[in-house]
Amino acid sequence: ELRTPIAITEGAIDNARIIYGKDGKDTKITKTLTLAHEQVLFLSKMVNDLSTLSRAERNVADEPEVIDVTSLAHELHAEYSSEAEKKGLHFNISAHKPLGNVRVSRLYLHELLQNFITNSIKYTKEGHITLTITKEDDEFLFAVSDTGIGISKSDQEKIFQKFYRSEDYRTRETGGTGLGLYVAQKLSRKLGCTVSVKSRLNHGSTFSFRLPVYKAKE
């Protein structure tokens, strides 16, 4: 019920912002409209996070299906490479050869990786983001790494808490909801895996998890 009015409001404010931005019209109005537009986008992101969380808690779309992990990596690259490019970042994937399949909820796996990728783009000012999928015996290791601002040791203990936001001013500047990693943890549990974090302040972060390789019964 919230999605439709938010989408309509976002579109209307954006159109007004474009109209008033033409021909050097009143900058006070354009600044106010830009601020309003940013806040509506923030509200939309929060609704999406809550919606994802609700689906996971109600086991909606949790039916497992066979997923080619290499194809999934390329889908995500196509989906988010332009967003990275807008910030002057490179979005790389390391999963070029056929690796095999997993059998899990496509929605949950996609949203988990999407969460890490969008976070990396948000908290990286220069450099790159890399999605790596490697096969190790009977498991796949999924990892999203970046050259971003990193996470302090004290924050690493709290980042999966609901609504937690770091006191680091660079994190505050991004205007996140504090729900993303909490949702990611919920999704990982639904997938039967555990998220690991490796990070060093000012030297980037890596979020990873493992899933079993799916082997079709002969």
Side-chain angles (χ1 to χ4, degrees):
E1 292 301 315
L2 284 168
R3 286 176 185 272
T4 301
I6 288 174
I8 292 171
T9 304
E10 187 271 325
I13 294 174
D14 195 35
N15 286 336
R17 185 167 60 101
I18 292 170
I19 292 169
Y20 274 95
K22 291 180 178 178
D23 305 321
K25 292 184 179 180
D26 194 335
T27 56
K28 290 182 180 178
I29 294 176
T30 56
K31 286 180 179 178
T32 302
L33 289 170
T34 297
L35 178 61
H37 187 250
E38 289 172 353
Q39 292 304 308
V40 172
L41 289 176
F42 174 81
L43 182 59
S44 177
K45 179 66 169 66
M46 181 176 286
V47 169
N48 286 336
D49 285 342
L50 289 169
S51 178
T52 301
L53 182 60
S54 175
R55 285 198 300 270
E57 290 178 339
R58 291 181 293 117
N59 297 321
V60 175
D62 65 344
E63 298 83 4
E65 60 179 282
V66 178
I67 304 165
D68 183 298
V69 297
T70 305
S71 295
L72 178 62
H74 284 278
E75 288 171 17
L76 287 162
H77 183 265
E79 194 172 348
Y80 291 102
S81 56
S82 59
E83 187 177 333
E85 286 171 5
K86 286 178 183 177
K87 288 190 66 178
L89 304 171
H90 297 286
F91 179 23
N92 309 311
I93 57 171
S94 179
H96 299 289
K97 63 181 181 180
L99 293 169
N101 305 319
V102 293
R103 188 173 183 271
V104 294
S105 163
R106 177 179 289 275
L107 178 65
Y108 291 177
L109 179 56
H110 183 278
E111 290 189 341
L112 179 58
L113 289 168
Q114 168 190 284
N115 187 297
F116 297 146
I117 292 167
T118 54
N119 259 11
S120 287
I121 294 172
K122 185 190 300 182
Y123 296 115
T124 303
K125 291 187 176 181
E126 58 182 6
H128 61 267
I129 294 98
T130 304
L131 167 61
T132 304
I133 305 175
T134 53
K135 192 174 183 180
E136 300 177 356
D137 297 325
D138 293 330
E139 288 186 320
F140 287 114
L141 174 63
F142 295 79
V144 177
S145 58
D146 61 58
T147 56
I149 63 175
I151 308 166
S152 68
K153 286 187 177 180
S154 59
D155 280 335
Q156 288 178 40
E157 298 173 0
K158 306 171 186 175
I159 54 175
F160 293 105
Q161 295 176 10
K162 186 187 287 187
F163 296 117
Y164 179 76
R165 300 294 313 285
S166 170
E167 292 300 322
D168 190 322
Y169 74 93
R170 295 170 299 179
T171 300
R172 294 286 176 176
E173 284 177 345
T174 61
T177 64
L179 277 171
L181 290 177
Y182 175 77
V183 172
Q185 186 184 56
K186 289 283 187 179
L187 292 172
S188 67
R189 287 174 180 171
K190 291 292 182 180
L191 292 168
C193 62
T194 302
V195 175
S196 297
V197 184
K198 289 184 179 180
S199 186
R200 186 178 159 204
L201 204 57
N202 301 317
H203 289 81
S205 305
T206 299
F207 287 81
S208 63
F209 59 92
R210 297 174 182 272
L211 289 174
V213 173
Y214 174 68
K215 297 180 179 179
K217 294 180 181 179
E218 295 182 358

